[in-house]
Amino acid sequence: IQRLLSTFLAIFYIALLSAQITINLDAGSRGPKIGNTHYGIFFEEINHAGDGGLYAELIHNRSFEDNQTWYDKWWPIGNTAATLVSEGLINKVQTRALKLTLTGAGSGVRNEGFWGINAVSGRTYKFSFWAKSDAGYNGTLTVGLQTEGGNSLGAESVNVNLNGEWTKITGEFTATGSNAVAWFSLTGSKAGE
């Protein structure tokens, strides 16, 4: 019986290998309906494969969505008071913004990026963000990169006249030094909110 079973399996296997495979396609039939909110099956965010990876964002937690109550990865400069707010936002999608109370020239915030920001001397960095000031702010905002110790690696100053309306601020600067773990910085020229 064992020899008969072995022979049968060998014949079955040889027949299976020589079988013709046929695929029939019917282009006139749509098949099952897929909902318009189905964008994919699965994406696992491991070690910033999305944010900071495929989506090459340099600012970590740029829209303050990583934590409901705290502004993760953002650090005050000087005696700046920083709080998350959820009222008076730019649109319905943006659920939080960072409110800063600047105490004087040079105060502001900085962001550590994703394990640092790779500053390369001579490279141009573009920036854009939205800002408003219900109390009014007429001064200069300086955007740049710096070492962890606070030394400048290039910056650009933008004159602003902010009021209760959201204003888009854009610009660019060229790095004056290299540092693989630089920080983003945003500072003001005077006290304000």
Side-chain angles (χ1 to χ4, degrees):
I1 286 195
Q2 186 176 11
R3 191 177 291 187
L4 183 61
L5 184 59
S6 296
T7 305
F8 174 75
L9 288 175
I11 292 171
F12 177 75
Y13 182 71
I14 292 170
L16 187 62
L17 287 177
S18 63
Q20 292 289 332
I21 298 174
T22 304
I23 298 175
N24 295 317
L25 298 175
D26 183 359
S29 176
R30 250 184 93 82
K33 184 177 179 181
I34 297 173
N36 58 3
T37 58
H38 186 98
Y39 294 104
I41 295 173
F42 183 75
F43 176 79
E44 189 168 359
E45 174 73 301
I46 297 175
N47 293 328
H48 303 294
D51 276 348
L54 293 174
Y55 174 56
E57 178 65 56
L58 298 178
I59 307 300
H60 197 159
N61 191 22
R62 69 182 177 115
S63 59
F64 313 105
E65 297 172 350
D66 289 0
N67 190 319
Q68 297 289 321
T69 58
W70 192 250
Y71 44 89
D72 285 345
K73 309 303 179 189
W74 291 89
W75 304 92
I77 297 174
N79 291 323
T80 301
T83 56
L84 283 181
V85 295
S86 57
E87 294 143 8
L89 302 176
I90 194 167
N91 56 42
K92 294 178 183 177
V93 177
Q94 190 70 34
T95 59
R96 284 176 294 289
L98 186 62
K99 180 179 180 180
L100 302 175
T101 303
L102 306 177
T103 56
S107 61
V109 293
R110 55 192 224 149
N111 184 283
E112 61 189 73
F114 295 88
W115 300 291
I117 297 171
N118 187 26
V120 178
S121 184
R123 182 178 288 171
T124 300
Y125 294 84
K126 295 181 180 183
F127 62 87
S128 70
F129 61 95
W130 292 83
K132 76 172 186 170
S133 175
D134 292 333
Y137 185 88
N138 184 1
T140 301
L141 295 177
T142 301
V143 176
L145 293 173
Q146 59 181 223
T147 65
E148 186 176 355
N151 297 322
S152 178
L153 294 167
E156 175 69 21
S157 295
V158 180
N159 293 321
V160 296
N161 186 8
L162 301 175
N163 54 38
E165 299 296 320
W166 286 99
T167 303
K168 186 173 184 178
I169 299 168
T170 62
E172 63 182 46
F173 63 91
T174 301
T176 57
S178 295
N179 189 316
V181 289
W183 292 55
F184 166 83
S185 66
L186 171 65
T187 58
S189 62
K190 64 179 195 172
E193 191 174 275

